[in-house]
Amino acid sequence: MLNIVIFGPPGAGKGTQSKMIIEKYKLMHLSTGDILRAEMAKKTPLGMEAKNLIEKGDLVPDEIVNKMMKKKIEENADQRGFIFDGFPRTPEQAEALDKMLAEIGSGISVMISLEVDEQELIDRLLKRAEIEGRKDDNIETIKNRINVYNEVTSRVMNHYKKTGRSRSVSGTGSIEEIFERICRVIDDFA
Ligand code: ADP
């Protein structure tokens, strides 16, 4: 399998790049944010529990997210591979993901970290707010999300650095330019 973690702060372009990567490499896109938003729209118990946390920009507890992802992985173990977007977001989630993949005889091929500076992130998210109207794209929540990224999520990098399977890519420039940079990294690890 080819399993990729696409990593970076909110607004880095993980979702946009993931869509291009799944086309080219025929992978399955697993975005915790998309899955949680779908649960919220359907008003499931999981969605109801996640709603307040997401709207404040806080993390949904590891236990919930891990269980949700384990189910997706098990149901799709016959895929060519996955791209994990928005997951893992804590070192505990990273440990759990390794176990889930080991159980299907696989593992993470590479983690790609998209680097974008903070002011650009804020500008992008505010622009997205006008287009998509996501409730968590307001200035207060955006600042909290970036803070949570800096305090907690950024530590996930160390997990992959230890195994030599992490690469940083500049996330500024045109979408195509960034995609080319990412493909070069994937082709090195594939
Ligand atoms: P972004 O990366 O643009 O902030 P996402 O769509 O990936 O947005 O996630 C939106 C929100 O969903 C997060 O702010 C968080 O509340 C919740 N969430 C998504 N993935 C996770 C995760 N792996 N662990 C905990 N909470 C998560």
Side-chain angles (χ1 to χ4, degrees):
M1 280 179 111
L2 175 62
N3 293 312
I4 299 166
V5 172
I6 186 104
F7 189 77
K14 303 184 293 284
T16 306
Q17 295 296 332
S18 293
K19 289 195 187 91
M20 298 172 75
I21 298 168
I22 55 167
E23 281 284 313
K24 176 162 178 186
Y25 296 92
K26 309 289 174 226
L27 306 177
M28 183 177 191
H29 186 197
L30 291 180
S31 156
T32 41
D34 286 352
I35 298 167
L36 289 167
R37 277 186 292 277
E39 297 281 334
M40 277 159 60
K42 284 192 283 183
K43 298 201 163 58
T44 62
L46 167 59
M48 304 296 270
E49 192 171 347
K51 191 173 190 292
N52 286 333
L53 294 165
I54 291 180
E55 285 176 4
K56 275 192 291 178
D58 290 335
L59 294 180
V60 175
D62 288 339
E63 217 182 81
I64 294 179
V65 181
N66 288 343
K67 205 167 132 199
M68 189 176 94
M69 292 306 266
K70 189 170 162 52
K71 185 161 172 267
K72 292 278 178 197
I73 291 170
E74 284 170 357
E75 285 170 357
N76 296 286
D78 59 342
Q79 293 277 333
R80 290 168 50 98
F82 299 107
I83 175 139
F84 296 98
D85 165 7
F87 180 83
R89 246 180 169 89
T90 66
E92 292 73 19
Q93 291 179 14
E95 298 272 349
L97 177 58
D98 283 345
K99 287 206 191 99
M100 293 172 207
L101 290 174
E103 272 167 27
I104 59 164
S106 196
I108 291 298
S109 314
V110 62
M111 183 251 221
I112 300 173
S113 173
L114 286 173
E115 314 273 331
V116 176
D117 73 43
E118 205 160 300
Q119 191 52 52
E120 164 113 15
L121 295 173
I122 296 173
D123 292 345
R124 287 184 187 180
L125 292 169
L126 289 175
K127 204 184 275 172
R128 183 170 80 185
E130 289 170 18
I131 301 164
E132 294 180 15
R134 254 173 67 171
K135 272 207 169 151
D136 58 347
D137 285 344
N138 61 76
I139 190 69
E140 226 171 279
T141 305
I142 288 170
K143 286 204 167 139
N144 188 38
R145 282 156 61 202
I146 292 176
N147 205 28
V148 169
Y149 175 81
N150 289 331
E151 298 291 320
V152 183
T153 305
S154 61
R155 288 193 278 132
V156 168
M157 276 269 243
N158 299 331
H159 182 88
Y160 295 100
K161 271 193 187 145
K162 275 189 274 182
T163 58
R165 293 192 173 271
S166 79
R167 287 290 181 280
S168 292
V169 162
S170 161
T172 45
S174 73
I175 289 174
E176 291 72 25
E177 269 165 11
I178 300 163
F179 182 56
E180 264 176 45
R181 291 176 199 140
I182 291 174
C183 291
R184 256 180 262 137
V185 173
I186 296 176
D187 295 340
D188 265 356
F189 282 84

